[in-house]
Amino acid sequence: MTVRFECLTETSMPVEQLFDLSLDIDAHTGSMAASDERAIGGVTSGEIGLGETVTWRARHFGVPITMTSRITAQDRPTSFVDEQVRGPFRRFRHQHLFEATPGGSRMRDVVEFSAPFGPIGRVVERLVLARYLRRLIEQRNAFLADTGRSPKS
């Protein structure tokens, strides 16, 4: 069984800027500072592209987690997909969809995942992981939206 949820983020920045920022490893690291998430392998800085991987190390629920993701699809500036190739989930897929709006742009995140550990994992994914991951995506998106409004140095 797979858990699926969506998050919607509106911002005043142009769709191309939001798309590029969403692929930026340094912006992602900044958005996940609370969990000490950092890139330790593959593309570790700057923009990641189609077919490339990044290995993340972070601390969630007090436990160190390592996960490698690959960009498996990309159509600038409308969408890209990252999927776990190694890590804690049985399956993890994150689709990022972008569209221009009259006031800027809209980003829709579609996250699908399955936890390991059979029936126990299914209970944990529904009771804990879905809410936790949704909150992480919402925090990341708020950070990206704020970063896009900040003057560049």
Side-chain angles (χ1 to χ4, degrees):
M1 190 174 302
T2 298
V3 174
R4 181 182 189 277
F5 65 86
E6 295 186 21
C7 296
L8 201 60
T9 305
E10 302 269 346
T11 180
S12 60
M13 78 177 81
V15 69
E16 294 84 0
Q17 182 184 356
L18 180 59
F19 182 90
D20 292 346
L21 192 58
S22 295
L23 284 167
D24 188 273
I25 299 295
D26 303 304
H28 182 86
T29 301
S31 73
M32 294 289 126
S35 60
D36 193 31
E37 191 158 334
R38 60 197 183 284
I40 61 166
V43 178
T44 59
S45 186
E47 194 171 299
I48 189 169
L50 182 61
E52 295 180 319
T53 63
V54 58
T55 300
W56 300 103
R57 181 163 297 143
R59 185 169 293 277
H60 296 284
F61 303 108
V63 176
I65 304 286
T66 302
M67 179 171 151
T68 301
S69 298
R70 179 183 317 278
I71 303 300
T72 58
Q74 183 176 346
D75 183 20
R76 185 178 193 277
T78 60
S79 66
F80 72 90
V81 176
D82 64 86
E83 297 184 68
Q84 173 190 283
V85 293
R86 191 172 41 257
F89 295 95
R90 192 164 45 114
R91 178 178 181 271
F92 187 92
R93 183 176 192 271
H94 184 175
Q95 184 179 24
H96 308 253
L97 304 164
F98 304 85
E99 64 180 300
T101 62
S105 56
R106 177 182 301 121
M107 175 171 52
R108 183 166 52 109
D109 293 86
V110 180
V111 176
E112 298 174 304
F113 72 93
S114 299
F117 309 122
I120 292 171
R122 284 192 292 280
V123 170
V124 170
E125 70 189 15
R126 298 269 178 209
L127 295 178
V128 179
L129 285 177
R131 280 191 300 244
Y132 185 77
L133 289 173
R134 177 186 293 276
R135 192 170 61 245
L136 282 178
I137 298 295
E138 289 170 347
Q139 289 171 348
R140 173 187 175 274
N141 291 352
F143 180 92
L144 294 179
D146 286 344
T147 299
R149 284 192 291 268
S150 300
K152 301 221 179 207
S153 37

